Amino acid sequence: MPTRRAADPVTRARSIHNKQPFTTAVFFTLIHYLCLISLVTCLSLLIVGSSKQAMVLPLVASLIASLVTWLIAFVRRRSARCPLCKGSPLIESGAVKHAKAYRLRPFNHGATAILGILFLNRFRCMYCGTPYDLLKRSSTARNQR
């Protein structure tokens, strides 16, 4: 049985006092991903389909929706800040990543954090390496009972 070294402790996930910036950022990013899926679908139907005139309007509408939702999602992801290091863990900025930061291989660190919040309600800040759990109640909420 392997033993844990004192230099490598297991860090527990921290709570976030204000979860709203993270949940709204993930919501608008999910809407953007759905608009991208509709854009790819309309583009493939335009290429394969026989009535090309009928698919031009949905293609343009999904393109405009993708651009608008990208802008909204970008602003919302940028406004979600790590409570500890004040970085924006949902956007890849090109800064040096922490040694404990991880990512799913086809995606970058920001997209991995968004998918982690969407499916697991937890993420790890790529800049300070701190794990956060959105389901965990903050200490101020626990003390107000």
Side-chain angles (χ1 to χ4, degrees), residues 57-73:
L57 184 63
L59 178 70
V60 171
S62 62
L63 179 66
I64 291 171
S66 296
L67 292 174
V68 169
T69 56
W70 175 83
L71 183 64
I72 294 170

Side-chain angles (χ1 to χ4, degrees), residues 28-127:
F28 283 114
T29 305
L30 180 64
I31 297 296
H32 172 65
Y33 290 163
L34 292 174
C35 287
L36 286 178
I37 290 171
S38 70
L39 177 67
V40 169
T41 303
C42 288
L43 189 63
S44 64
L45 287 175
L46 181 70
I47 292 171
V48 175
S50 60
S51 64
K52 296 188 186 298
Q53 194 71 346
M55 285 307 298
V56 172
L57 184 63
L59 178 70
V60 171
S62 62
L63 179 66
I64 291 171
S66 296
L67 292 174
V68 169
T69 56
W70 175 83
L71 183 64
I72 294 170
F74 178 77
V75 170
R76 292 295 181 170
R77 285 182 297 162
R78 193 161 181 119
S79 67
R81 298 279 183 181
C82 174
L84 208 58
C85 69
K86 304 301 181 209
S88 54
L90 301 182
I91 289 186
E92 189 84 23
S93 70
V96 177
K97 308 298 182 284
H98 193 268
K100 291 185 178 180
Y102 67 92
R103 69 183 183 108
L104 297 175
R105 203 30 74 176
F107 304 112
N108 61 11
H109 288 87
T112 301
I114 288 171
L115 291 174
I117 292 172
L118 185 64
F119 292 111
L120 303 173
N121 282 321
R122 53 179 46 216
F123 72 99
R124 183 180 291 267
C125 179
M126 69 180 100
Y127 302 116

